[in-house]
Amino acid sequence: MDVISVIRTKRDRGVLSDDQIDWVIDAYTRGEVADEQMSALAMAILLNGMTRAEIARWTAAMINSGERMNFSALTRPTADKHSTGGVGDKITLPLAPLVAACGAAVPQLSGRGLGHTGGTLDKLESIPGWRALLSNAEMLDVLDTTGAVICAAGDGLAPADKKLYALRDVTGTVEAIPLIASSIMSKKIAEGTGSLVLDVKVGSGAFMKNIDDARELASTMVGLGTDHGVKTVALLTDMATPLGLTAGNALEVRESVEVLAGGGPADVVELTLALAREMLDAAGIKDADPAKALADGSAMDVWRRMIAAQGGDPDATLPTAREQHVITAPASGTLTRLDAYDVGVAAWRLGAGRARKEDPVQAGAGVELHAKPGERVTEGQPLLTLHTDTPERFEYAIKSLQGAYDIDTQGANGFTPNPIVLDRIA
Amino acid sequence: MDVISVIRTKRDRGVLSDDQIDWVIDAYTRGEVADEQMSALAMAILLNGMTRAEIARWTAAMINSGERMNFSALTRPTADKHSTGGVGDKITLPLAPLVAACGAAVPQLSGRGLGHTGGTLDKLESIPGWRALLSNAEMLDVLDTTGAVICAAGDGLAPADKKLYALRDVTGTVEAIPLIASSIMSKKIAEGTGSLVLDVKVGSGAFMKNIDDARELASTMVGLGTDHGVKTVALLTDMATPLGLTAGNALEVRESVEVLAGGGPADVVELTLALAREMLDAAGIKDADPAKALADGSAMDVWRRMIAAQGGDPDATLPTAREQHVITAPASGTLTRLDAYDVGVAAWRLGAGRARKEDPVQAGAGVELHAKPGERVTEGQPLLTLHTDTPERFEYAIKSLQGAYDIDTQGANGFTPNPIVLDRIA
């Protein structure tokens, strides 16, 4: 087997054999296939596609590149959720304790942010003392005692994917549906969950800009999960505008705690409940009422125990940024658009995200929204508040928000914002 | 400027801007753009193509990555030839001294073989004492005193191309017409020749397997040369069967000397004369007769001076391989096919070529042909003789020759072999 013949097969629009796929994933993991060879193959896959059978084999080969976890010792059914990533997407924070409060075990192996989308671990690290890195034994212990755990994935799960993901990030080959689907699903299947709900984002702030691509990605992933015995459902959800009223690490933790306290922005609550219901259904838990678990404080109880179990102080004051800058509405009217991507880029530039993997993030940095599409605004009222510890970043962030919003001064007759949940694929 | 946006532009079927091309070639040469990024871009170029304007700018950027030579001090007009590579293609050896004997200065910066095609430098290095590596001053001196020089290209010419060529070789991105054309032409233009004749090979033993691809490559290169003030002409020539009766280093030198002595196989003589006439015409030399220069020994005189000027002994006995194996004709009839690629692979496997750049080659190894397509053969007569110093390679070479030839026992009515010159593009 040689790598050039594998590359040529895909380059010339052929179908990779099982042997070719198994070999190239294994050889790449071992370092026998070089980065420059794998990136050429990734570009050929991006441009020429893969059949469902190729994607399935590719996913299996990535799973087989590492260890698999086993949750069979748990007494509760496991339910997992994965989001393809968006701006202001803090849903994991209220969702994991909520679903645990309703009776499932919720292992959330999460990542850090890169580019304009934030990372769940970065957000939680704004809580003083909280640790993302747990051993497998610690992770199982937190999961068993509190019902939920949110932590970094161990290095042993799908190491081929880790290496390939980092490569795709620097070679313009992220946006390949076969590679996105196999990357997500290899980790989730290796993680050993019994059921999985996928939140596939669509819109300017998401990888998938249009609903057809999102639908293809979702149905590919649902197929992969089902083939591996994981009950998998996908919701396609709107990412044209940020979720909730905050994008940034501590800002989003604060908003998540509001949701767990029975308040919070309507869209965050709606999506949290929709995903919770899907997760409980997929896990086979019939008689739970997630809306009640938010209202009666039982989800909040799990949150506090889960944060404390990972060294965090749930009562600590969250960090705030040293400097603020307010952008006001230039006219009175109806806000008809507030672009998720532009807000995400602004938050990133303010210090909430990182340009390179090794960069630190600012806990307090980010963007606060004072209105959402569909709401009326008055000229001169605050529209957005920018937060950062490094005020020299304001100019660059403000620039990315020019053209980020539209205000209709004519009354915006007939304007309705997108629903949160656009479609469901099972 | 960042490399991911450049990769994305081509990935998404866009046209690269002049600035993007200049930047990416420069940054790759300096090591700021990594191999894995350039290989993803090369695959995107291979699959999505380039406009003529993009190819022209890419070529100019590669020329600008290094130094340019200057032959303006020479009193004779310069004439250069480039072949896209084939099996048994020793034409440079008789051609350079022949064209010099007719009044042109012939600088032939040549390469080594990789894969199934041999390299001109490897062939000449089978002459005891001959040196491929000359300084610029030595090169100009040999050219000035003998009229011709065949040597390795200095590291200073188009360093971007050197780096990119080595990368394409290991990433399945060799077969991209924009990249082949710009690679060849950047070196030739940087070399500073006044005129250039391209020998674009077509057939199983060539990179271009069909005449339409070859025609596109040829017209792209002729356009690039003309744009840079180099009078450029291309011949499309047949590479369905090996050129002449030998493929291998010393074997081909011996055949070349036969041609310079007024003998040699008809196809080698025909192509040498056709290319010589094109080179003399492009160089503006009207009254020369290359056939006479072969017959009267004046081309041989230049050959002997040129070899001696580079340390070689033109009278030395050439190395021969230690072991021979003869393949005989399995039937009587007309030989209607003898496949160039299969013979090239056999010669390579016998030790005439290299699998990796750092491998040595055997001077005596190769394949000798005892018949050419169109000729009658008798059952049991020698058809091919294999030469090697390492007889354990015979089995592997013999395997690559199974199915390499067809003998028509019915008389092959109406069979005519391909002409050597298939088309001319100017």
Side-chain angles (χ1 to χ4, degrees):
Chain A
M1 194 74 73
D2 81 294
V3 62
I4 296 186
S5 73
V6 177
I7 297 170
R8 282 186 173 153
T9 300
K10 187 44 68 184
R11 180 193 79 185
D12 299 342
R13 297 183 167 71
V15 173
L16 298 175
S17 70
D18 289 354
D19 284 352
Q20 284 182 311
I21 290 171
D22 293 350
W23 178 83
V24 81
I25 294 285
D26 178 59
Y28 180 58
T29 309
R30 287 186 290 105
E32 184 182 328
V33 165
D35 279 341
E36 58 268 30
Q37 297 171 319
M38 189 49 114
S39 68
L41 179 58
M43 182 59 81
I45 290 170
L46 189 149
L47 290 171
N48 290 340
M50 269 182 162
T51 65
R52 286 287 171 101
E54 283 176 292
I55 299 171
R57 190 73 181 204
W58 187 274
T59 305
M62 295 218 292
I63 294 167
N64 293 335
S65 74
E67 62 192 34
R68 296 181 71 147
M69 296 190 67
N70 189 340
F71 294 127
S72 61
L74 297 173
T75 51
R76 302 172 174 207
T78 48
D80 197 354
K81 184 226 45 160
H82 180 84
S83 160
T84 59
V87 177
D89 184 6
K90 70 279 294 172
I91 301 295
T92 297
L93 276 57
L95 180 64
L98 171 59
V99 174
C102 294
V106 187
Q108 286 279 279
L109 304 195
S110 300
R112 290 175 198 284
L114 196 61
H116 75 279
T117 63
T120 295
L121 301 181
D122 294 326
K123 294 171 194 177
L124 286 167
E125 279 177 340
S126 66
I127 301 171
W130 188 86
R131 286 188 300 119
L133 219 64
L134 305 181
S135 69
N136 280 357
E138 284 177 311
M139 190 205 119
L140 282 168
D141 186 52
V142 176
L143 184 58
D144 202 27
T145 53
T146 75
V149 64
I150 305 175
C151 64
D155 284 340
L157 292 179
D161 175 64
K162 279 200 181 58
K163 211 176 155 180
L164 182 56
Y165 188 87
L167 180 71
R168 287 165 54 213
D169 196 53
V170 298
T171 56
T173 52
V174 168
E175 294 89 344
I177 287 176
L179 298 179
I180 296 173
S182 57
S183 172
I184 292 170
M185 295 306 292
S186 64
K187 277 178 293 197
K188 289 296 170 185
I189 294 164
E191 193 186 302
T193 187
S195 66
L196 174 63
V197 175
L198 297 161
D199 181 2
V200 178
K201 301 288 187 199
V202 193
S204 79
F207 281 124
M208 299 291 117
K209 308 294 182 198
N210 70 68
I211 195 149
D212 290 336
D213 287 347
R215 202 171 271 128
E216 189 189 332
L217 174 62
S219 78
T220 303
M221 292 194 291
V222 168
L224 287 170
T226 307
D227 288 350
H228 282 89
V230 179
K231 182 149 173 43
T232 309
V233 175
L235 297 185
L236 306 193
T237 73
D238 182 60
M239 190 30 70
T241 203
L243 263 170
L245 294 167
T246 57
N249 300 309
L251 290 169
E252 293 191 47
V253 173
R254 201 169 292 125
E255 191 167 271
S256 300
V257 172
E258 283 168 24
V259 172
L260 287 161
D267 58 344
V268 178
V269 175
E270 181 185 339
L271 183 55
T272 302
L273 288 175
L275 289 167
R277 288 189 186 105
E278 292 289 353
M279 289 169 77
L280 292 166
D281 185 54
I285 295 172
K286 304 274 177 220
D287 50 356
D289 180 354
K292 183 166 169 291
L294 279 186
D296 69 10
S298 56
M300 178 69 99
D301 289 344
V302 177
W303 163 264
R304 295 174 57 85
R305 285 200 301 273
M306 177 185 80
I307 295 300
Q310 289 178 239
D313 177 0
D315 296 314
T317 305
L318 291 169
T320 49
R322 277 197 287 276
E323 307 267 348
Q324 277 77 34
H325 174 90
V326 176
I327 295 176
T328 55
S332 295
T334 301
L335 185 67
T336 53
R337 186 177 68 86
L338 181 53
D339 188 78
Y341 180 75
D342 292 339
V343 171
V345 170
W348 173 39
R349 288 177 172 177
L350 290 164
R354 46 173 73 78
R356 280 170 301 191
K357 271 190 283 289
E358 56 279 12
D359 292 349
V361 298
Q362 294 181 19
V367 178
E368 208 179 335
L369 284 58
H370 301 291
K372 298 271 285 186
E375 294 178 9
R376 275 198 62 81
V377 296
T378 309
E379 183 180 342
Q381 80 157 74
L383 197 58
L384 299 164
T385 302
L386 315 189
H387 299 256
T388 186
D389 293 334
T390 41
E392 64 273 18
R393 295 176 181 238
F394 279 133
E395 192 188 335
Y396 195 36
I398 290 166
K399 198 174 273 176
S400 71
L401 290 165
Q402 280 163 1
Y405 48 88
D406 294 330
I407 294 169
D408 187 334
T409 55
Q410 306 302 311
N413 287 327
F415 173 80
T416 2
N418 288 343
I420 297 294
V421 177
L422 305 170
D423 203 355
R424 178 181 190 274
I425 290 173
Chain B
M1 194 74 74
D2 81 294
V3 62
I4 296 187
S5 73
V6 177
I7 296 171
R8 281 185 174 154
T9 300
K10 185 47 67 185
R11 181 194 77 184
D12 299 341
R13 298 184 166 71
V15 173
L16 297 175
S17 70
D18 289 354
D19 284 350
Q20 285 182 312
I21 290 170
D22 293 350
W23 178 83
V24 81
I25 294 286
D26 179 59
Y28 180 57
T29 310
R30 287 185 290 106
E32 186 182 327
V33 165
D35 279 341
E36 58 268 29
Q37 297 171 320
M38 190 49 114
S39 69
L41 180 58
M43 182 59 80
I45 291 170
L46 188 149
L47 290 171
N48 290 339
M50 269 182 162
T51 65
R52 285 288 170 101
E54 284 177 291
I55 300 171
R57 190 73 181 204
W58 186 275
T59 305
M62 294 218 291
I63 295 167
N64 293 335
S65 74
E67 62 191 33
R68 295 181 71 145
M69 296 191 67
N70 188 341
F71 294 129
S72 61
L74 296 173
T75 50
R76 302 170 173 210
T78 49
D80 196 354
K81 184 226 45 159
H82 180 84
S83 160
T84 59
V87 176
D89 184 5
K90 69 279 294 172
I91 302 295
T92 296
L93 276 58
L95 180 65
L98 171 60
V99 174
C102 294
V106 187
Q108 286 280 279
L109 303 195
S110 300
R112 291 176 197 283
L114 196 61
H116 73 280
T117 63
T120 295
L121 301 182
D122 293 327
K123 293 170 193 175
L124 285 168
E125 279 177 339
S126 66
I127 301 172
W130 188 86
R131 287 188 301 119
L133 219 63
L134 304 182
S135 69
N136 279 359
E138 284 178 311
M139 191 205 118
L140 281 168
D141 186 53
V142 177
L143 184 59
D144 200 28
T145 52
T146 74
V149 64
I150 304 174
C151 64
D155 284 340
L157 292 179
D161 175 65
K162 278 200 182 59
K163 211 175 154 180
L164 182 56
Y165 189 87
L167 180 71
R168 287 165 54 213
D169 195 53
V170 297
T171 56
T173 53
V174 168
E175 294 88 342
I177 287 176
L179 298 179
I180 296 173
S182 56
S183 172
I184 292 170
M185 295 305 292
S186 64
K187 277 177 293 196
K188 290 295 169 186
I189 294 163
E191 192 185 302
T193 187
S195 65
L196 175 63
V197 175
L198 296 162
D199 182 2
V200 178
K201 301 287 188 200
V202 193
S204 79
F207 280 124
M208 299 291 117
K209 308 295 182 197
N210 70 68
I211 196 150
D212 290 336
D213 287 346
R215 202 171 271 127
E216 189 190 331
L217 175 62
S219 78
T220 303
M221 292 195 291
V222 168
L224 286 169
T226 307
D227 288 349
H228 282 89
V230 179
K231 184 150 171 42
T232 308
V233 175
L235 297 185
L236 305 193
T237 72
D238 182 60
M239 189 30 70
T241 203
L243 264 170
L245 294 168
T246 57
N249 300 310
L251 290 170
E252 292 192 47
V253 172
R254 200 169 291 124
E255 191 168 271
S256 300
V257 172
E258 283 169 22
V259 171
L260 287 161
D267 59 344
V268 177
V269 174
E270 180 186 340
L271 182 55
T272 301
L273 288 174
L275 289 166
R277 289 190 186 104
E278 292 289 352
M279 288 169 76
L280 292 166
D281 185 55
I285 296 172
K286 304 273 178 221
D287 49 358
D289 180 355
K292 184 166 169 290
L294 279 186
D296 69 12
S298 56
M300 178 69 99
D301 287 345
V302 177
W303 162 263
R304 294 174 58 86
R305 285 200 301 273
M306 177 185 81
I307 294 300
Q310 291 178 238
D313 176 0
D315 296 314
T317 305
L318 291 168
T320 49
R322 278 196 287 276
E323 307 268 347
Q324 276 78 34
H325 175 91
V326 175
I327 295 177
T328 55
S332 295
T334 302
L335 185 67
T336 53
R337 186 176 68 86
L338 182 51
D339 188 79
Y341 180 75
D342 292 339
V343 171
V345 170
W348 173 40
R349 288 177 173 178
L350 289 165
R354 46 173 73 78
R356 280 170 301 190
K357 272 190 284 288
E358 56 278 13
D359 291 348
V361 297
Q362 294 181 20
V367 178
E368 209 178 335
L369 284 59
H370 301 291
K372 298 271 284 185
E375 294 178 9
R376 276 198 62 80
V377 296
T378 309
E379 182 179 344
Q381 81 156 73
L383 195 60
L384 299 164
T385 301
L386 315 189
H387 299 255
T388 186
D389 293 334
T390 41
E392 64 274 18
R393 296 176 180 237
F394 279 134
E395 192 188 336
Y396 195 37
I398 291 166
K399 200 175 272 179
S400 71
L401 291 165
Q402 280 163 0
Y405 49 87
D406 292 329
I407 295 169
D408 186 334
T409 55
Q410 307 302 310
N413 288 329
F415 173 80
T416 1
N418 287 342
I420 296 294
V421 178
L422 305 169
D423 202 354
R424 178 181 189 276
I425 290 173

